[in-house]
Amino acid sequence: MNSSVALPVLIPFATAIACLFVWNSTRLQRGITLLGTVGLLLSGLVLFQEVETYGVVSIQMSGWSAPYGITLVADRLGAIMVLLNGVVALTGVLYAFGSIDKGREKFGFYPLLSAMFGGVSGAFLTGDVFNLYVWFEVVLMSSFVLLALGGERPQLEGAIKYVTLNLLSSTLFLVGIGVLYGFAGTLNFADLAVKLAQTDRPELITVTAFIFLCAFGIKAAAFPFFFWLPASYHTPPPVVSGVFAGVLTKVGVYAIFRMFSLVYTQEMWLTHFIILWMGAITMLTGVLGAAVQTDIRRILAFHSISQIGYMLSGFGIAGVGISAAMAAGVEGQAERAAMLTAGAGMALAGAIFFVLHHSLVKMNLFFVAGAVKKLRNAEELEQVGGLYHARPFLGAMFLIPALSLAGIPILSGFWAKLALVRAGLEVGTYAVVAISLVVSILTLFSMTKIWANGFWAPPPDTPDGERGSDPGDEEDPPGYRLMLVPIVTLVVLMVAMSVLVGPAFRVVQKAADQLLADRVYIQQLWESSGKIERIDALLEERNYVTTVLGEEYLRALLMPIEEEAP
Amino acid sequence: MNLLLSITVGVLFAASIYMILRRSVVKLIIGLVLLGHGANLLIFLSSGLVRGRPPLVPMGESRLEGEYSDPLPAALILTAIVISFGIVSFAAVLVKRAYQEVGTDDLDEMKNTDR
């Protein structure tokens, strides 16, 4: 049963290795990669199903029990993210079939892509901080090469910035790990969570929290660390931009969600307040950066930053809500505490929903930009024009996700923002709510700019009044139809997510509640320290902490007297 | 020894930041290498230095008693060294290719993708 946790990591790496054996045949590599990504998606589904049943699933590598061994663990959030990775992988690979050039295919594009997806799965499933670092490096190494592959001048210039800033972030991460290990003597998430909940020097732990926040902030492209993203995301082939926007920055966001919901909950009024405002400023700077751009993919890259801000501010609202609820609980205002807790749960669920929505939508928009590039051989809005007349279907495929990104009602972006705004009002972070609404309007402005100039305006070489060439008199360029397959798939998924928002939101709400329950559970554990019956009752619960650490270890931790007695 | 290592770590970080902020891409690489070394030493230092106490369970005992040096930081550092070796060699090749393509090693002239 537990091997299902390892499969989403193993399958992509097996795919990558298999591809290396058939280095000379791109056709075989395509076949293997397609099989591998279908396998990844299926294993993600299986894992999701298991987590639905059991709550948390974990596996201890080579039988060494946590916290000494290497743990892979999937809770609801992890399983959702792995599933998302599977969707991104499959659509990305399909798009690559239609769009990537022969030269890149020959030089290991597919094995690199598989290795990257394997690394992403690993980062979502790992149970300890150091392995998170290792998976980050696996992802980075593959993404470095994917970004630079082809060796065009802008690619190399972008890659230097990407490599430098991400290396800096990795080193910061490593420094954080070193200092944290010095404090806690362990690196397992669950073990850290249990041990650091009982620390008498929370301010020292908070210092390490900020080292991690900087490191993850660079990965997630949050303000003020995002400068590598607009410098590099528009340079590689569109499929690479799309896949990067789909999962890469999300790995950084996920790391923040994980570390700051499980490990760093000592001084939430400070850490999560800063995350909240980091998010708010990120969304504002991102959208303002996009306003001055005229290249489709550059606009989209800046919007990626802006949307990361929503996810972070959602998470920040959750943290601020929890800490306010704790304060209210201490003062005896149970009703207010319950309302704040509910608001926090909704904010976190909204943030997770936002991650899913943004991955699908932003990937889709990058893919449409790639299709535009294929049709017009240009990405500057001035040089595009007239696409709606020539390709109405592509226009629709752009318009739906673009409106969703801006948050037009009934589309997925609207629901995500609605949850965040409502939670923000309940928790009382009015300023951030106001900023997020203004950013929404600015997003709509940017999307309208692409729509009006790229799709509606007459093509640059025709005089005004003429509406470009008639549909049908342009031949489809090779691979164009294949490129439409993932685009349509993503739009369908996104629309499904919007229409079935009830069930979809219940799934992320469960994930959010599970994340928030861990902190409460650990508090109860420590409060019951020394009382055998209560510990017995608590240890029967199946959650992140008990699944990873096991009953025996926790019992020994909580009952130190019993251990010394014999 | 703690003091000496702390100073070394500080000097390494300072030197690496200085090198990263220079305009030459070669100095950038040197800066990144130094940064990695600084981080590795910091892990070594922050996990506590113990002299002459290997983490070996003595004959006839079942567990480690008293003070012993923690083997885990060494394992972490080893992993980090291997990773940074791979990445630095990639970065070196990248810089060489960028130099050939752009025709300069001045980072200030590699700003076409930022506009």
Side-chain angles (χ1 to χ4, degrees):
Chain A
M1 160 194 120
N2 286 350
S3 59
S4 59
V5 189
L7 280 181
V9 184
L10 292 179
I11 291 174
F13 281 109
T15 313
I17 293 167
C19 280
L20 294 181
F21 280 110
V22 290
W23 185 259
N24 289 325
S25 160
T26 47
R27 188 175 288 179
L28 269 175
Q29 283 192 21
R30 281 176 170 215
I32 292 170
T33 310
L34 186 62
L35 263 182
T37 40
V38 170
L40 175 62
L41 182 60
L42 288 180
S43 67
L45 278 171
V46 170
L47 183 66
F48 184 74
Q49 197 51 46
E50 271 195 11
V51 170
E52 269 302 296
T53 326
Y54 296 103
V56 185
V57 197
S58 80
I59 180 172
Q60 314 288 349
M61 288 321 210
S62 35
W64 285 88
S65 67
Y68 310 109
I70 291 173
T71 314
L72 287 182
V73 51
D75 62 351
R76 289 183 203 276
L77 174 64
I80 290 175
M81 297 304 282
V82 169
L83 193 57
L84 176 73
N85 186 28
V87 173
V88 170
L90 188 56
T91 44
V93 163
L94 283 177
Y95 192 80
F97 289 166
S99 68
I100 204 78
D101 53 289
K102 289 250 165 4
R104 288 191 172 86
E105 273 186 334
K106 275 211 180 91
F107 283 94
F109 180 79
Y110 294 119
L112 282 166
L113 210 54
S114 294
M116 195 185 87
F117 291 129
V120 171
S121 287
F124 290 152
L125 290 175
T126 179
D128 71 81
V129 188
F130 191 73
N131 276 306
L132 186 63
Y133 164 77
V134 174
W135 289 121
F136 265 29
E137 295 298 310
V138 170
V139 174
L140 272 189
M141 198 64 213
S142 343
S143 67
F144 286 166
V145 187
L146 279 175
L147 190 65
L149 195 66
E152 291 160 20
R153 182 177 165 162
Q155 272 188 302
L156 293 169
E157 285 187 25
I160 284 189
K161 288 149 202 164
Y162 180 80
V163 168
T164 308
L165 284 175
N166 277 288
L167 263 182
L168 204 63
S169 137
S170 298
T171 314
L172 268 178
F173 191 0
L174 199 59
V175 167
I177 289 172
V179 179
L180 187 62
Y181 184 77
F183 279 132
T186 178
L187 289 174
N188 187 294
F189 282 136
D191 202 23
L192 276 173
V194 173
K195 285 189 173 149
L196 293 187
Q198 235 1 38
T199 177
D200 50 349
R201 304 289 299 275
E203 66 279 2
L204 283 181
I205 305 299
T206 308
V207 172
T208 64
F210 285 115
I211 305 179
F212 281 105
L213 189 59
C214 291
F216 297 149
I218 297 178
K219 305 269 179 199
F223 179 85
F225 308 114
F226 61 75
F227 296 99
W228 58 270
L229 194 146
S232 60
Y233 259 34
H234 62 280
T235 57
V239 56
V240 178
S241 310
V243 169
F244 279 16
V247 287
L248 268 202
T249 41
K250 305 299 179 299
V251 177
V253 174
Y254 168 83
I256 291 180
F257 282 16
R258 177 66 73 206
M259 283 297 271
F260 285 82
S261 68
L262 202 56
V263 181
Y264 291 122
T265 52
Q266 293 82 18
E267 294 190 317
M268 287 172 108
W269 56 271
L270 178 63
T271 48
H272 289 65
F273 184 74
I274 288 182
I275 294 178
L276 173 72
W277 276 98
M278 224 168 117
I281 303 173
T282 307
M283 52 177 131
L284 203 56
T285 43
V287 86
L288 290 179
V292 297
Q293 296 294 331
T294 53
D295 176 302
I296 299 180
R297 272 202 283 167
R298 283 186 201 212
I299 297 176
L300 293 177
F302 271 105
H303 274 292
S304 276
I305 298 168
S306 165
Q307 307 290 316
I308 292 289
Y310 277 98
M311 298 162 208
L312 290 185
S313 67
F315 186 71
I317 292 172
V320 169
I322 290 286
S323 75
M326 283 198 293
V330 170
E331 287 166 21
Q333 298 165 299
E335 205 170 294
R336 189 174 141 73
M339 194 189 87
L340 287 169
T341 315
M346 184 190 279
L348 189 51
I352 300 171
F353 192 81
F354 212 109
V355 171
L356 303 179
H357 141 78
H358 179 249
S359 277
L360 299 181
V361 163
K362 189 46 65 67
M363 218 176 134
N364 199 357
L365 289 175
F366 270 116
F367 284 180
V368 171
V372 170
K373 191 182 178 193
K374 190 131 198 165
L375 289 170
R376 289 283 198 268
N377 204 18
E379 286 184 284
E380 279 291 324
L381 284 173
E382 281 177 14
Q383 298 163 17
V384 181
L387 270 172
Y388 180 62
H389 198 64
R391 305 272 172 185
F393 185 68
L394 187 69
M397 291 297 110
F398 171 81
L399 192 61
I400 297 170
L403 291 179
S404 175
L405 190 76
I408 299 297
I410 85 141
L411 291 170
S412 57
F414 170 72
W415 301 114
K417 282 176 187 167
L418 181 69
L420 292 185
V421 166
R422 250 195 80 178
L425 292 179
E426 271 176 35
V427 171
T429 53
Y430 303 113
V432 175
V433 168
I435 291 177
S436 79
L437 292 175
V438 171
V439 171
S440 249
I441 296 170
L442 290 173
T443 309
L444 189 59
F445 162 72
S446 265
M447 290 301 125
T448 320
K449 187 168 73 180
I450 301 182
W451 176 252
N453 293 331
F455 288 84
W456 256 3
D461 47 354
T462 52
D464 280 346
E466 269 182 58
R467 274 285 173 196
S469 46
D470 280 325
D473 67 346
E474 274 181 66
E475 285 283 308
D476 283 342
Y480 175 72
R481 275 165 190 270
L482 193 55
M483 285 158 85
L484 283 181
V485 175
I487 291 176
V488 173
T489 316
L490 284 169
V491 168
V492 168
L493 277 175
M494 197 273 294
V495 170
M497 207 171 133
S498 323
V499 176
L500 302 173
V501 66
F505 209 82
R506 267 198 292 283
V507 171
V508 291
Q509 185 72 58
K510 270 202 249 171
D513 290 344
Q514 194 185 33
L515 274 187
L516 294 177
D518 285 333
R519 194 187 55 83
V520 180
Y521 178 79
I522 289 165
Q523 267 181 350
Q524 286 174 343
L525 264 189
W526 282 113
E527 279 163 14
S528 69
S529 175
K531 299 170 201 147
I532 296 178
E533 294 92 44
R534 283 206 58 193
I535 293 181
D536 282 341
L538 278 173
L539 289 185
E540 272 183 17
E541 208 175 299
R542 190 185 165 96
N543 58 26
Y544 197 93
V545 178
T546 49
T547 314
V548 171
L549 292 176
E551 210 175 299
E552 215 175 306
Y553 178 82
L554 283 171
R555 209 177 282 276
L557 199 67
L558 294 169
M559 304 289 291
I561 312 139
E562 196 188 48
E563 205 191 18
E564 282 168 25
Chain B
M1 194 60 192
N2 268 330
L3 186 67
L4 185 65
L5 264 183
S6 312
I7 293 170
T8 317
V9 170
V11 169
L12 276 174
F13 271 106
S16 73
I17 300 289
Y18 177 73
M19 289 304 247
I20 288 173
L21 294 179
R22 302 293 297 272
R23 283 162 66 173
S24 155
V25 278
V26 181
K27 286 174 181 151
L28 174 73
I29 298 281
I30 296 173
L32 291 175
V33 173
L34 290 180
L35 194 67
H37 291 333
N40 289 339
L41 272 182
L42 187 93
I43 297 180
F44 190 54
L45 181 65
S46 72
S47 58
L49 297 177
V50 178
R51 196 177 175 144
R53 298 293 303 251
L56 300 173
V57 181
M59 225 27 161
E61 301 272 335
S62 64
R63 59 195 297 177
L64 282 165
E65 294 292 341
E67 206 183 20
Y68 61 90
S69 68
D70 190 348
L72 192 77
L76 301 185
I77 294 168
L78 197 60
T79 317
I81 289 174
V82 173
I83 291 174
S84 73
F85 171 75
I87 288 185
V88 165
S89 34
F90 172 76
V93 176
L94 177 70
V95 160
K96 176 165 179 274
R97 284 285 294 128
Y99 171 70
Q100 285 171 339
E101 200 69 32
V102 184
T104 171
D105 74 335
D106 189 346
L107 278 169
D108 277 7
E109 310 211 344
M110 297 190 184
K111 58 186 179 192
N112 294 319
T113 61
D114 281 325
R115 270 186 225 128

